[in-house]
Amino acid sequence: MATLHVLSHSPFTDSRLGSCLRILGSQDALLLCGDAVYALQAGSVQRQALELMPESTALFALDEDVQARGLDLPARLTQVDYCGFVALSCQYDKVNTWL
Amino acid sequence: MSKSLLIISRQAPWSGPSAREALDIALAGGAFDLPVGMLFLDDGVFQLSGAQQPASLQQKDLSANLQALPMFGVEALYVSQRSLEERGLHQSSSSLAVELLNDTALTALIDRYDQVITL
Amino acid sequence: MNLLHVEGRELPLDKDGYLVELTDWSEETAQALAQREGLSLSAEHWEILQLVRSFYDEFQLSPANRPLVKFVASKLGPEKGNSLNLNRLFNGAPAKLAAKLAGLPKPTNCL
């Protein structure tokens, strides 16, 4: 029962990302969109934490949100567009959106 | 067989509508016989603290409503051990009978449910 | 606005016939509300109305059918706390009608 966790809030204003990373299952995946992509900010603790995630955990970021914020994508993450987002939502058993 | 639903409530009780909305989903699900579970995570654990007096904010008493969960058939109630500890809270001070879970157990819990909503 | 006439007073009701002011409730009010529903209150009804009010006192909300059955069963035993009995007493809509006659808000989470 692998879960796709979707985050859209900045990791610098609250604990969603931290809590999510702690309870993420080894087969689960994480998709960052909206301000959650600020977790990719170079030099941040959050980016470091993402880069250290085990290989089995798939990490995605929504390309338009990354580009809009002028961030660069670490090799550890896979960029997806909205079609990819929809495909992922279907591919996983369930989606947990951290509202 | 209805799909099971886990509601993760992670906002403090009086900061906005989220805690109320999470509880309303749980009560509605229970009223319709859905297998519903509820997990208190992050600031959501503040909802469990006793001795709250929301009348001073002119709001409905969320903690009284929380006590109704078992009556609505929602008896699978969980709390994050880590979230409690981070805030200096203890399970014994909880106004509701909740099962204490560590991070690994939370992963397994989410895995067990068909659907998850985090508010 | 609907008005309920009880002992020379006019009490406001909402569009569904529930008391607007919870404090307007009295036994006479309950009788008058029951009459509007074509119901005559027996000792069996009163017992449930008292319980619904104590449910509201404790949880600050009106019970839906399932919690009502459970609560009545826990207080009065399963002979009284079952859907059959409560449906019989309250025209097939126990949560809605009992809350109405007990002067409580309309239960949410009910079809």
Side-chain angles (χ1 to χ4, degrees):
Chain A
M1 286 290 285
T3 303
L4 174 68
H5 293 265
V6 178
L7 294 178
S8 58
H9 291 70
S10 164
F12 300 103
T13 50
D14 76 33
S15 55
R16 286 178 181 84
L17 179 69
S19 296
C20 179
L21 292 183
R22 278 199 304 275
I23 63 179
L24 206 60
S26 59
Q27 299 307 310
D28 288 349
L30 173 61
L31 187 145
L32 304 174
C33 60
D35 279 344
V37 301
Y38 280 124
L40 306 178
Q41 178 64 39
S44 70
V45 176
Q46 285 79 357
R47 174 162 171 155
Q48 204 177 4
L50 287 171
E51 289 180 325
L52 291 173
M53 289 299 287
E55 280 301 319
S56 62
T57 307
L59 302 176
F60 304 94
L62 197 62
D63 58 5
E64 62 185 60
D65 287 327
V66 174
Q67 283 164 27
R69 289 163 182 77
L71 298 162
D72 74 298
L73 200 72
R76 178 69 184 79
L77 274 85
T78 308
Q79 193 153 319
V80 291
D81 57 12
Y82 267 106
C83 290
F85 189 165
V86 173
L88 285 173
S89 304
C90 298
Q91 181 188 328
Y92 285 84
D93 296 309
K94 57 183 176 275
V95 179
N96 180 20
T97 305
W98 293 60
L99 296 172
Chain B
M1 182 68 187
S2 333
K3 286 191 171 182
S4 61
L5 171 65
L6 178 68
I7 297 150
I8 304 180
S9 186
R10 52 175 301 285
Q11 301 286 339
W14 315 112
S15 59
S18 292
R20 157 68 47 196
E21 283 166 0
L23 177 60
D24 282 345
I25 296 170
L27 293 174
F32 288 108
D33 263 340
L34 290 180
V36 175
M38 195 159 180
L39 162 67
F40 298 89
L41 181 71
D42 295 338
D43 276 351
V45 300
F46 283 126
Q47 295 173 37
L48 300 171
S49 114
Q52 300 182 56
Q53 297 183 350
S56 60
L57 299 172
Q58 290 165 9
Q59 297 215 27
K60 278 203 74 177
D61 192 345
L62 187 86
S63 30
N65 293 173
L66 278 174
Q67 308 304 315
L69 281 168
M71 277 293 157
F72 277 72
V74 183
E75 279 154 356
L77 301 169
Y78 309 95
V79 64
S80 158
Q81 182 172 15
R82 184 187 182 109
S83 300
L84 280 182
E85 282 170 1
E86 282 172 346
R87 289 161 183 77
L89 295 169
H90 194 262
Q91 190 186 14
S92 63
S93 67
S94 169
S95 63
L96 199 61
V98 283
E99 190 180 334
L100 200 61
L101 298 178
N102 64 23
D103 289 346
T104 315
L106 290 184
T107 307
L109 178 74
I110 293 172
D111 218 36
R112 227 163 53 221
Y113 280 82
D114 296 320
Q115 289 170 324
V116 182
I117 299 176
T118 302
L119 279 172
Chain C
M1 171 94 64
N2 292 325
L3 291 172
L4 181 72
H5 299 271
V6 185
E7 300 192 308
R9 294 178 63 205
E10 291 189 328
L11 311 177
L13 300 178
D14 71 10
K15 63 174 174 47
D16 298 313
Y18 289 75
L19 279 183
V20 173
E21 293 298 330
L22 271 58
T23 49
D24 279 341
W25 190 84
S26 65
E27 296 200 353
E28 291 72 27
T29 313
Q31 303 273 18
L33 286 164
Q35 207 168 19
R36 282 168 54 101
E37 305 288 335
L39 206 69
S40 138
L41 295 180
S42 67
E44 285 183 290
H45 290 103
W46 283 114
E47 195 173 44
I48 305 300
L49 295 189
Q50 296 299 350
L51 276 185
V52 178
R53 288 182 64 83
S54 71
F55 186 100
Y56 189 85
D57 273 345
E58 188 172 349
F59 303 120
Q60 298 292 304
L61 52 84
S62 302
N65 283 318
R66 179 177 168 170
L68 176 62
V69 168
K70 200 164 168 177
F71 193 69
V72 173
S74 74
K75 304 284 179 183
L76 304 176
E79 298 76 25
K80 291 179 176 176
N82 62 73
S83 344
L84 208 64
N85 182 49
L86 293 172
N87 281 331
R88 175 180 67 81
L89 288 173
F90 294 99
N91 295 348
K96 280 184 187 168
L97 193 49
K100 185 184 279 187
L101 303 184
L104 303 175
K106 185 179 176 179
T108 49
N109 309 323
C110 269
L111 284 177

